[in-house]
Amino acid sequence: MNGKYRILLPVLSLTVLLAAVFYLQPRAMSYFGLNLLFNLAVPIALATIAQMMIIMVNDIDLSVGTFVSFVACVTATFLNDAPLVGAAILLASILAYAAIGALIHIRQLPAIVVTLGMSFVWGGLAVLLLPSPGGAAPTWIRTVMTVKPPLVPMAVVACILIAGLTHLLIMRSSTGTLLRAVGGNAQAVARSGWSVTKLKAGSYALAGFFGVLAGICLVGLTTSADANIALRYTLLSIAGVILGGGEFTGGRVSPVGAVLGALTLALAGSFLSFMRLSPDWQIGAQGAILILVLAVRLIFSRRSRKWKGAENG
Amino acid sequence: VADTADKRIALSNNYAGNSWRQAMLESWAKVGDKAVEDGLVASADAFTTSENQATEQAAQIQNMILQGYDAIVVNAASPTALNGAIKEACDAGITVVSFDGIVTEPCAWRIAVDFKEMGRQQVEYLAGRLPDGGNLLEIRGLAGVFVDDEIHAGIEQGVTEFPKFKIVGSVHGDWAQDVAQKAVAGVLPSLPEIVGVVTQGGDGYGAAQAIKAAGRDMPIIVMGNRQDEMKWWAEARDENGYETLSLSIAPGVGTLAFWVAQQVLDGAEVPKDLTVPFLKVTQETLDETLAATPAGSVANVEYSQEDAKSVISAAN
Amino acid sequence: MEVATGAGRPKPDVPLVALSGACVHFGAVRALDGVSLTVSPGECVGLMGHNGAGKSTAVNVINGGLTPTDGQVHYGHEDGRKGTGAARARACGIRSVFQELSLCPNLSVLENLRVPHRDLTGFGWRKSAAGRIAGALDEIFPGHRIEPGMIVGDLTLAERQMVEIAAGFAGGPTPPRLVILDEPTSSLDASIARQLLEHVRRFCAKGGAVIFISHMLGEVFEVASRIDVMKDGKIIASRPASEFTQQGLIDAMGHVANEKAAARAAVESSQRIGEEVLKTPEGLSARKGEIVGLAGLAGHGQAEALARFFMSRSGKLTRVKDPEAAFVAGDRGRDGVMPLWSILRNLTLTHLPSLTRRGLVDRIAEQALGADWKKRIGIRTDNLGNLILSLSGGNQQKVLFARALASSAPIVVMDDPMRGVDVGTKQEAYDMIRTEAASGRTFLWYSTETDEVCQCDRVFVFRNGQISAELTGDGITEENILAASFQMQGAGA
Amino acid sequence: MDNSRLSTVLAIPRRPWFWAFAASAIAYFATLSLTEGRGGGELLSAALTFASFSAIVGLGQMFVITLGPGNVDLSIPATMTLAGTLSLKFMDGAANLILPGLAVALAVGIGAGTFNYLLIRLLRIPPIIATLSASFLYQSLAIWWNRGLRIKPPEALADFSTGAIAGLPNLTIIGVLIALLSWVVLERSIFGRWVSAFGQNTRAARLSGIPVETVRAVTYIASAVLAAFTGYLLASFSGGAALNMGTEYLLISIAVVVIGGCSIAGGNSNVPGIWGGALLMFLVVSMLNSYGFGAGVRLIMTGAIIIGIVAAASGKGRPT
Ligand SMILES: Nc1ncnc2c1ncn2[C@@H]1O[C@H](COP(=O)(O)OP(=O)(O)OP(=O)(O)O)[C@@H](O)[C@H]1O
Ligand SMILES: Nc1ncnc2c1ncn2[C@@H]1O[C@H](COP(=O)(O)OP(=O)(O)OP(=O)(O)O)[C@@H](O)[C@H]1O
Ligand SMILES: O[C@@H]1[C@H](O)[C@H](O)CO[C@H]1O
Ligand SMILES: [Mg+2]
Ligand SMILES: [Mg+2]
């Protein structure tokens, strides 16, 4: 897919889905409605950005979901009761992410395995922290997540901010360019004397950072946590990156697309709710709508398929 | 015609992947459809999320707010993680009734089963059967989930009460026969003689299979309410006089929640916390219960509007 | 373009880089076996040698990418300091353009400059990057159509090569003083290659130095002030270019190559060519036993036409045992090599279905096939069980060649297959193609070398994705091909 | 002669599958040390039995993962459930329908595999998402078909799946046979070459004349068929199909492939390692349960072991 058109797909699918939702449920077309539709998409968008940081360097992170759950547990316990300890734990977990990135590169390990292993580790830590659901959101994050800005609801403002800032960071800054270069041709980066290990550690740390933000935001919305709270984010975040025009290899990612992808996925669920299907088929319909939304990619890739597409690949 | 004829009630369900939940959905549909037919409510729609996830369910509840339901009946993925969404629903003037997986948000009603007591009674029953006590194997549910923690706490309490018992092994069976079977098979070889197995339901048959495969003497396995567990029990009884007890929550409790919601909408004075007894099947009632349970399903009790009224008045 | 000038410039007799007795061993392979070499400002050193002679390895030692197992590398810093290592090499203005392209296809042209140009940071870095790369492109390849904002993946192979060369010469805080070009013209067509050669001459005239590696004798003679010949990891001759003749150079490299005049069909083409065996919608056609060339400027649709044809005639399960067509890739890494496999497995891949009984591979027959082709095409390895990536670029290319020729396909599609193949091997390959054609095989041959195209029986010249001319017999001349490549372009502009 | 035998022995720890088996052995003896060696036979037999399920689905997953980056089959659990549900309902306990029931299960596998492939091929959906989405459909189909009722397998089938020949569980024999077959296919057959080539460089594979689309289709179908077969066996073994019966096999199937030393980047796979990984996944959990660790510690240790093994087995310079 050509870079220029990459962003069209997520924009289009979000628009179509939003139109369908507004048609089915006109009440959604309001300040209140938009916030309800999208506020739970904010942590998903952050988790998707985290996943994107990893996919950007040709790896994949199967531990995003349990990591966000772990962060949520820390937020609802330590960050609330002893903010300094909580912050230190979260900082350490970002460093752990960086260390994993470095380990993966130095030992040439498959990221999918290491992150699969880490998903057990984060999950175990979360269960140790909160064997039973509970804890409480720190008030400041509760305030942030329920703030009511004028004109546009919090959820929309937050998504625009996330998309804009990560776009600057990844697509425009010189450091972001270097990180994407690692995904495009790590050997070339190494030949120019950069430490690919440090760069990979850097993008993993960024992933950890956005994972932490996702967990904190999530607790801000749900008011408490449990060890399994965000398991689904792993697959949602992968789907979001792809839906947003990203590719698994080659450092081709789009932060704006990733945020739009996350919003689209969140909206797909609402769309189904508003359809009122028989319970037997509700689960299947979620699969069907994922398929449908992704199939739209076809329209865009048809154009550049065959030799041309491969030639440019 | 009641005052609730134009009211719409929705069921928010977080999981449909086992026979208990399927029975729950079926009871809901049966009772709900009938209520709509009778003109008692305008609609009783059921919604299920694809995976057992609080975040997904929170979004689902937010959608229900948008759809303008008058009451939401919820079996929650987490007692606390939905509180944000539930609060929003209450603020929008919606009645929220939780059951089975209850929520802690104060604005919602809770129809709770005393899971802790359910755990404690298992040990109590074993103490009655085995005055000398002995070693127990505990099969737990899904780690990190409220129900698992509660039943486990009850069992611990029971063991403190009856100190002749000792829990020598504990595994997670995730409320699934095949998972329980695998976990028990793995831990059994390193365990000493076991006299009893305390469970959470949905795992008794798997435990029995694993113990049989290991060639051990069959301990007293406290059963849940799945038909295969009870059928195995009946067969063992016929063969060698096997005796045990089944403790569980009936999936039909969802219908009780439905009626409670209807009553709240109707303006009835309903306390926020209601308790329902758990379903108990004994040696005596086994055949009767088994006969009433379809093959492969779950022992069940459905509730009527009258039942709901009497539960409410008992609590008042 | 800034080139080191003025006060800081070392005296011409202070070498930019000096290797003395450098050795590099990869296991048992002695890739470099005591190489001593110096490059001084103003020099253009032509580095020649057969495939696997150690040229690329020498490059990697010079730019600090490889530390020699024995011997020394010294850099002459502008202020006279000396030192070793990759960082020092960069600080001394040593730049490399690698044989295997090293751009990031996902980044734009200007973003790619960020990788080698480490100083590009902070606000406005994009602007200065765009300025640097556009300046270098304009200076080296006037008339190019590359924008700094274009995504590299969307460029043609030739354009990518141009970007990489431009990045090598682009100015910056440490201007280039020695630029190493490892087979820079292998995917450029003649006119662009000419622009490069001219630039190299200008660059050296202004006091820069270049190491120019190529298998094209003509090019080397055109630019090199000195020619070093490598053989089996040693420099066996190092003399001013003027003291070599073409034949003398070939002899020095150790090849007994036939004179080009003898190249023309051993078997008279009229005897060998039979009925038409292929015709494509865009107008390509070929007959049995015919060698059909695809010519024109790089990136004008030749590769696409070949691929379309090949894709339409292959990939069916029912025909794997007797394929209609076989493919020889030019872009090895992308289109040819299976990087985790041995040489043998890479070689037999296309023919393998015919070595299969009831789904199981006959491994003895496979070994035999491999041994046969190793001999026929002279793959420089002691063991076909070695990984393909342990071979030099040119030797990998030979394996891909053998992969296609070993199959029974009556049509062989070649996508610039001689890229990076040394002179001697090329001659052997030409012979082989002619022999195979004589026995009835048809070749579709895209090449960026006019010499090669001129050996064909019929030539289709491409321009803007279409066939602009069909040349046959005596009509196949360099002039006609160039005319057809440019003709309409001139009219259109 | 002696020397070469010695070097063969010395090379064993460098085999990618070595660490999985070594770690399994450690877990096994660590468990038995609790009982001074009693119960060793029981534990081994349980491990062999339950590892069979993981090994069979793991082999299918291995074929898919070998296809290269992005290829993974997330529909394995749902396919297991659907095949188990449909075939058990079809047999409805009748002994004479055991083989037709097997055919039903395998047909479900072929159907699911084909559907997965078509999503990937026709709609160009990345496999990871295509198979996940498809799995929701299969799950719904299973719910709709019999609403999660647990129907008992025919007696003879239940006996067979829990039985043993000469002490070796029948399931293990089946699992080992499938592994042998997979080994032959991957190492000796042309299809194995093609899968490996596909995984290393799909484009180059296509250009070498390999029918890549056939290869991909067959691979995804094979994975689904193996999952369906496992669903049939598991449902028979555990007394009926349950809607959630495949859940744990999602992570397990991937874990055994990677623990077993299969290069996740594709193009390289390792059959014995699958069995090593399958045994390990069972024995580790058993060991941690036996030592009485809670769920949290157990999860952390499982993760640490996975990472440890991969770091030990597949570091730089691993033989290919
Ligand atoms: N130019 C190319 N080089 C290498 N691989 C390619 C190229 N074009 C397509 N492929 C890959 O080869 C495979 C088969 O492509 P091919 O064009 O043979 O399919 P096809 O059956 O003709 O396609 P369709 O039916 O969609 O037109 C696909 O996996 C595709 O990604
Ligand atoms: N990483 C490596 N591992 C093992 N052997 C290597 C490696 N790199 C190079 N070699 C070997 O070193 C020798 C020199 O290779 P080199 O790439 O320098 O040749 P070259 O002269 O550049 O050849 P060509 O003209 O084909 O590019 C070859 O025999 C090659 O097989
Ligand atoms: O999911 C169900 C219910 O939540 C119940 O509380 C116990 O059995 C589980 O299987
Ligand atoms: Mg070279
Ligand atoms: Mg050329």
Side-chain angles (χ1 to χ4, degrees), chain A residues 91-109:
Chain A
L91 193 66
S93 67
I94 294 177
L95 291 179
Y97 249 84
I100 291 160
L103 175 79
I104 284 173
H105 183 71
I106 293 169
R107 299 279 303 159
Q108 294 284 295
L109 304 180

Side-chain angles (χ1 to χ4, degrees), chain C residues 52 54-57 99-100 182-183 213 215 392-394:
Chain C
K55 304 179 295 294
S56 297
T57 310
Q99 181 175 11
E100 314 292 338
D182 195 351
E183 303 195 27
I213 300 175
H215 293 291
S392 72

Side-chain angles (χ1 to χ4, degrees), chain C residues 9-15 40-41:
Chain C
R9 194 208 291 190
K11 289 173 254 87
D13 54 344
V14 177
S40 302

Side-chain angles (χ1 to χ4, degrees), chain C residues 264-279:
Chain C
R264 270 290 169 165
V267 185
E268 231 354 274
S269 48
S270 55
Q271 285 176 285
R272 136 167 86 83
I273 295 172
E275 76 283 10
E276 185 161 280
V277 289
L278 76 90
K279 186 149 189 70

